[in-house]
Amino acid sequence: MTYCALPLPGASLAAPEPLPAWVTPSARSARSAPGADRLDRARARLAARLTAAAGPDGLLRAPCDSRMLESALALRLLTVTDVDPDARERLTRRLKTWLDEGAPDPVQEAAARAALGEYADGRGALTRLLGGFDHFTAGRKHLMFRTVLAELGADAFPEPPDPGRAFEAHGQQRWLITEMAALKVLHAFGTHSPRRVTEDDWRILEPCALPGPPPYGNHLARLLALLALRLRPWYAAAVRARARELRDVLCEDGGVPFLTGMDVFATATGGLALAGAGAPAPTLRAFAEALTGQQNPDGGWGFDRGVGQSDVDDTAYCVEFLRAVAPEHHGVGVAAGERYLLARQGADGGFPTFERGTASEVAITAAAVNALAPEPAHRAAVAAGVRFVTARQEAAGPYERSWSLNESNALFRTVLAHDSFLAVAPGHPAAAGAARARARAVARLLATQNPDGGWGHVPTDPSDPISTAYALIAVARTPGARAATARAVRHLLERQRPDGGFTSRPDQAGPRPLAYHVPLLTDVCVLLGLNHARGGPAAP
C-alpha cells in the first residue's frame, strides 16, 4: 500500500498556506496569484467530496473495486462446492464482460477463461506478465501464479526443485503465510503428494473457514485457503458455508474485490489532504479518534478496519496525521507507532513493508523517514534511512515500482524524505547525498512530463490523474519548476468531474504486479497534489 507523506518542517504534504476553513475563494487574500481562484474552487469541491465519504465511525469509506482474479477463484469455489447458482451466474456474467472489454493483464485473462471452462494458455500468460518483472518477489510470484492457474485448469502444476520448502513463508506477513500454505496444499494434492501437507499447514488455513470478514482483509488469501481446505473432509461443511456467503461480498458489478477496503489508509492520507485544504478542526479530530481506535497492540496500523497485520506504510501515515492534527491528545499513540517503525528498520538502514528481516524498499523507507524525522531522538535512524534511499537512487537500474505501479509514486516520496531530512539536519554528513538524490528525482520527473502536462505510470504511458498528482507533489515544491507545475495543475483541473472527483486508472499492486483499484485514493492524492501547487515554491 503506498501513498503520501505529511507534515514535517519543509516536507509537509499539507499546503504551506491552507485555505481558511471552507470559505469561498473570494474571501482569500488579494495577494493570490492569477489562476488561484480556479485552483481553490477545485480544491474546495474535492475536499467537500472527501469529507462526505466519512462513515459513522469516523473513517473514510474506501472500498476496493472488484477484480478478475478473485472473481475467477470465487467462481471456481462455488463450482467445486456446487452452491449458490445465482452467485455463480453473476460471477460468470462479470467475467465474460471483462473478457469482452479486455482483461487488465494476461494472467487474469487466463484465470477467467479457465474458470469459465474455456481454453487458456496459463504458461504463456505468465511469461507475458512476469517476463520483465524485476523484483525481489519475482521467484515467489512465478510459483504462486503458476499454482493458481493450475488449480483453475490453465496450466500444469509447477515442479519446484524442493516442493517441501518452496512454499515456506516464515517471517513474512500473515496473509502471505496463509496464501503460501494454501498453495502448498493445492500443489500437493494436484501432484498426488498429499503427505507433504502437515497439520501446521491446516492450522494456518483454519481461520479462513470461520464466519465473518476474511482474515487480514484479504479476499484472495481466503479464497485460496477455502479451495485448499475443501480437500480435507473435516472442513467440507465450513467451506460450503463460507462459499454461500460469497454473495454478500460481491460488488454491484457482480465481481469480488482483492481487499475488503482501505479505510484506515484513506483516512490517514485523506485527513492529511483535508488538513492542507483547511478542513474544520472537529472533522480532523474525528478522523484522529477513529484512527486511534484502529491501532493494533504492536503499535502499528493495518490498511483497513480490523486488519491485525500492521505495516510500515500505514503506520507512517497514521503517525504523521495524529502528530499533525492533535499531538497533545495522541502522543501515546504516536510514540507507540514510532516504536513499531523503529523495530522494523533493517541492518541496511531501510524499512520493509511488513516484517523486519525482509527486503527493504525505497518508497516504504521514505514513508518511515517522514514519520520519524520530527523527533530528534530518532535522528540516527532517519539518517540511516536516507542513506539507504540515496544509495538506491544513485545505483544503476530502473526506478522503483512496488506497491504502486507508478514511477512517480516512489519519486515524490523520496523527494519528501530528502526534504524532511534536510530541514531537520542540514549539516549532517548525509545531507549532500540527499540533496543530489532529490535533484535527480525531480530531474527525472521534469524530463518525463507528457506534452499534455500530466504523467503516466511510466514515461511511455498516457497521462492519468493519480500519476500526475504524485509527480505534482514533488515538482510543486521545487523552486524553478513553476512552468511544469502550472501545466500539471491545468491538466488536473481540466479532468475534474462535475461531482468534484477524479477518475484514474488502477494504481495499486498486489500481489505485485497485479493492479487493483481503490477509487477514493485518486481523490485523496489529487487533493494533496493541488494543495502543494497552491502553496509550494513553484506555485503557478
Side-chain angles (χ1 to χ4, degrees), residues 38 67 110 135 137 186 195 200 217 299 306 319 341 393 416 457 512-513 533:
R38 186 183 178 200
R67 192 168 66 169
H135 196 266
T137 64
L186 293 173
R195 291 184 180 179
D200 284 342
V319 165
L341 294 174
Q393 287 185 288
L416 292 181
H457 283 184
R512 296 176 281 195

Side-chain angles (χ1 to χ4, degrees), residues 169-182 204-205:
H170 299 307
Q172 300 284 347
Q173 60 268 32
R174 281 168 270 176
W175 55 261
L176 179 58
I177 293 172
T178 299
E179 284 183 0
M180 297 309 288
I204 289 170
L205 300 177

